[in-house]
Amino acid sequence: MPILQAKKIYKSYGNKFNKQEVLKGLDLSIHQGEFVSIMGPSGSGKTTLLNVLSSIDQVSHGMIHIEGKEITRMKEKQLAEFRKKHLGFIFQEYNLLDTLTVKENILLPLSISKMSKKEAEQKFTEVAKELGIYELKDKYPNEISGGQKQRTSAARAFIHEPSIIFADEPTGALDSKSASDLLHKLSQLNEKRNATIVMVTHDPVAASFSSRVIFIKDGQIFTQINKGEQSRQMFFQDIMKTQGVLGGVSHHEH
């Protein structure tokens, strides 16, 4: 059974006189351990899709199941609980708290769990070492680089071993070396922990790190491609070709 299943999801904004349909009856399923990228031109609905899948926003119609639970029916309080336990988030703007150290930021998701200090400490050490930021643990966000901040926010997303990690343009604010460092780490964590990652990106290089790319156009799935056994370079070429067919997407578009 897929870890995430979305059926006939619609999302519109505005009122009946001025309605903008962003998602138009989209179906999607994602399996445990997949690393999926969502791409599409500006205004195609990719960020809206990520927001409804990750429960940040609500669908207008349709059903979304995560781990067999229907999140589209949950009340706000239930949803908040579900989010804390099962979901991890990495945003383009890092969303770190400036008054907390790197370590304290990463430990935040565990502060609400019943975990012992020793176990939390162990999890922190593990994930911080995997992401190469262990030695920064006592620094504050304003003392570290953008790439290090984003790896801190990735560690925070992974620490409570969520069912799914949602990443919204996680490399958007990074230079290409930091971006590729982060993506290498994400794909290692994806393999090592069998973590499921769903990432929205406009960058074909970033998308080439994933195992499947879903292209959205006008609120529907235009096509999808699987990496399969091919090299990342070959997959990148495929992504570029599909992007060309899709049209209206440039390298520099945010």
Side-chain angles (χ1 to χ4, degrees):
M1 196 176 108
I3 190 163
L4 183 152
Q5 200 155 26
K7 286 190 180 143
K8 302 264 172 294
I9 46 178
Y10 288 86
K11 176 68 184 174
S12 45
Y13 294 100
N15 54 32
K16 61 176 192 245
F17 303 110
N18 180 14
K19 199 159 128 184
Q20 190 199 359
E21 265 205 316
V22 186
L23 301 176
K24 305 168 186 171
L26 193 136
D27 291 324
L28 175 69
S29 53
I30 290 168
H31 289 272
Q32 163 85 47
E34 269 200 290
F35 184 169
V36 177
S37 288
I38 298 171
M39 298 189 83
S42 256
S44 59
K46 57 184 187 292
T47 302
T48 304
L49 176 61
L50 190 82
N51 289 344
V52 297
L53 292 177
S54 64
S55 80
I56 289 175
D57 202 351
Q58 286 177 327
V59 294
S60 304
H61 294 287
M63 277 189 335
I64 299 169
H65 285 90
I66 294 179
E67 291 221 312
K69 295 184 178 64
E70 194 182 332
I71 64 163
T72 28
R73 285 193 169 207
M74 288 182 185
K75 300 274 180 284
E76 195 43 59
K77 202 174 165 199
Q78 249 181 317
L79 208 48
E81 269 310 296
F82 183 82
R83 220 178 274 141
K84 280 190 282 203
K85 284 204 182 85
H86 298 281
L87 309 179
F89 295 92
I90 307 173
F91 299 102
Q92 184 174 332
E93 328 54 54
Y94 324 126
N95 286 11
L96 298 174
L97 297 174
D98 291 334
T99 51
L100 299 182
T101 62
V102 163
K103 181 177 181 179
E104 291 164 341
N105 266 291
I106 294 171
L107 285 169
L108 267 183
L110 297 184
S111 61
I112 45 172
S113 72
K114 309 274 182 281
M115 195 178 289
S116 72
K117 223 171 148 87
K118 188 178 163 203
E119 199 184 339
E121 196 60 48
Q122 205 175 336
K123 280 194 188 302
F124 164 75
T125 303
E126 215 171 282
V127 74
K129 284 188 169 160
E130 283 174 35
L131 280 154
I133 47 176
Y134 182 73
E135 58 289 346
L136 303 173
K137 63 182 190 293
D138 300 324
K139 290 200 180 300
Y140 287 89
N142 64 357
E143 303 175 304
I144 61 178
S145 72
Q148 292 167 332
K149 283 182 198 171
Q150 197 52 302
R151 280 189 273 161
T152 300
S153 86
R156 181 187 57 195
F158 275 97
I159 195 160
H160 60 304
E161 295 174 22
S163 315
I164 304 184
I165 299 216
F166 291 100
D168 188 5
E169 295 281 8
T171 58
L174 305 179
D175 61 77
S176 57
K177 181 173 182 331
S178 308
S180 118
D181 280 355
L182 178 75
L183 291 156
H184 272 294
K185 298 284 190 217
L186 287 182
S187 59
Q188 280 166 4
L189 286 167
N190 162 251
E191 281 166 33
K192 197 168 157 187
R193 296 178 169 229
N194 202 23
T196 310
I197 302 173
V198 181
M199 168 172 83
V200 161
T201 183
H202 65 276
D203 178 7
V205 177
S208 71
F209 279 86
S210 52
S211 48
R212 174 162 62 118
V213 182
I214 297 169
F215 293 88
I216 307 280
K217 187 181 185 180
D218 300 328
Q220 288 174 317
I221 291 181
F222 174 72
T223 186
Q224 36 187 327
I225 53 178
N226 286 297
K227 182 174 181 211
E229 296 302 306
Q230 61 183 339
S231 69
R232 197 164 68 76
Q233 196 50 45
M234 296 290 294
F235 193 38
F236 170 74
Q237 298 300 335
D238 269 2
I239 294 167
M240 291 291 284
K241 266 189 221 125
T242 310
Q243 231 185 10
V245 175
L246 194 60
V249 184
S250 75
H251 242 347
H252 303 291
E253 187 179 298
H254 283 281

